Amino acid sequence: MSIINRKSDRFGMVAFAVMAGLSMVGSVQQASGAVVLSTAFAGSNASDTVPVNDGVSTTARPVGINVGLSSWSVANAAEVDLSGITTMTVGTHTYGSIADPIDKGKWLLMLGNGSYSDGASTPINASSLSNGTPNNHIAFNSAGVARSTTTTAAAVGAFSFVFEVKSGVTLTGLSANFDAGQVATNGTWYAANAATGSSNTNPFYNVRIVGLNNSTNFDFYSAFQAAGATTQSTTSIGGAGADVVPFAATAIDQTNSSLVAGLYRLEVRFSNKNMGQRTGLDDFALNATVVIPEPATLGALAGLAVLGLRRRH
């Protein structure tokens, strides 16, 4: 056997070992199916103006909700964390600016095409509602958002925030939990159900993930989901210690359940309600299995790579 063939065989063995090591890395999991980010909107929530460029001009609109970082729970900021960004483009609208960026942990409320207006004389804005502490929640300021009779961009309403998956981390098995429904202007959840065509229909829901510095873009479901079984109640949030909501959703059927390191926008999207109350959101949690390489495994892979290079020469 020639020297060249021997080197080739040795390198092939090293390459196989490296590939085997890489397959081992993908199997290392931490915090399986755990909550990585969550908020109950328990802090002091306030509507916030954000500069929005619609492609023609820039105007400041109260489309943001500052819930405060103390109202968020982050399981491990070294793996997954909230993120602030300078600007974010959704459709033909760009939110934020160098002078007024989108703060870390802030929620942005927008319509289905990424705008803040359906063309009406009064633009649709964000509104923070509470009727008791600590069970605050957030909502749109218009009953027309996510309504089944709306044929404009307001037919879909989205609550969104930005988060980051850190370098060397992959998220799998994504799911999201949240309370939602229709909210009166006094902060009361309105009794409704999920039956399409009934007299009191809650908004249907979906969850969207959009990569801000990569090509990721998918919805958890191929179509908006009905609210399912509901708790019929007009109990005020926080009233008598209760936090009763029209429905609690769990979104799990995503078409792509893997997120590598990068920045992402998560949108909780609603549509198809048929009543005249505001679309509201409370008690949000993002769950995932965190997959990271073990330091020992990384060291072994590095050693194999060096060995392979030495033997090639």
Side-chain angles (χ1 to χ4, degrees), residues 83-296:
S83 181
I85 57 175
T86 303
T87 61
M88 178 177 66
T89 299
V90 187
T92 59
H93 290 69
T94 299
Y95 292 80
S97 68
I98 295 176
D100 189 1
I102 300 172
D103 300 326
K104 182 178 182 179
K106 178 180 293 183
W107 288 77
L108 288 182
L109 279 63
M110 60 192 70
L111 304 182
N113 65 352
S115 73
Y116 59 85
S117 173
D118 63 353
S121 58
T122 303
I124 293 168
N125 302 316
S127 178
S128 58
L129 297 172
S130 67
N131 190 27
T133 301
N135 292 311
N136 298 353
H137 57 291
I138 59 176
F140 280 93
N141 73 336
S142 169
V145 177
R147 195 164 186 174
S148 58
T149 55
T150 303
T151 57
T152 64
V156 174
F159 299 81
S160 69
F161 69 93
V162 178
F163 69 99
E164 178 183 8
V165 180
K166 300 293 186 173
S167 177
V169 174
T170 299
L171 298 187
T172 64
L174 302 174
S175 65
N177 302 92
F178 46 87
D179 296 339
Q182 300 179 70
V183 185
T185 55
N186 67 352
T188 302
W189 288 108
Y190 191 82
N193 58 48
T196 303
S198 68
S199 59
N200 301 312
T201 301
N202 268 315
F204 288 22
Y205 67 90
N206 208 336
V207 175
R208 175 170 293 178
I209 299 285
V210 179
L212 300 183
N213 58 359
N214 58 62
S215 59
T216 301
N217 189 345
F218 64 88
D219 292 339
F220 275 31
Y221 298 95
S222 59
F224 280 86
Q225 302 295 296
T230 61
T231 300
Q232 302 290 319
S233 177
T234 55
T235 302
S236 298
I237 295 179
D243 186 13
V244 182
V245 295
F247 71 92
T250 300
I252 58 174
D253 188 21
Q254 63 276 44
T255 56
N256 180 350
S257 61
S258 179
L259 297 182
V260 297
L263 288 175
Y264 299 90
R265 179 177 72 251
L266 185 146
E267 301 176 10
V268 184
R269 299 168 67 85
F270 294 102
S271 71
N272 208 44
K273 73 181 180 71
N274 68 357
M275 296 299 294
Q277 282 70 38
R278 306 176 182 193
T279 305
L281 176 72
D282 194 14
D283 294 338
F284 173 85
L286 173 63
N287 318 293
T289 296
V290 178
V291 182
I292 60 175
E294 289 181 333

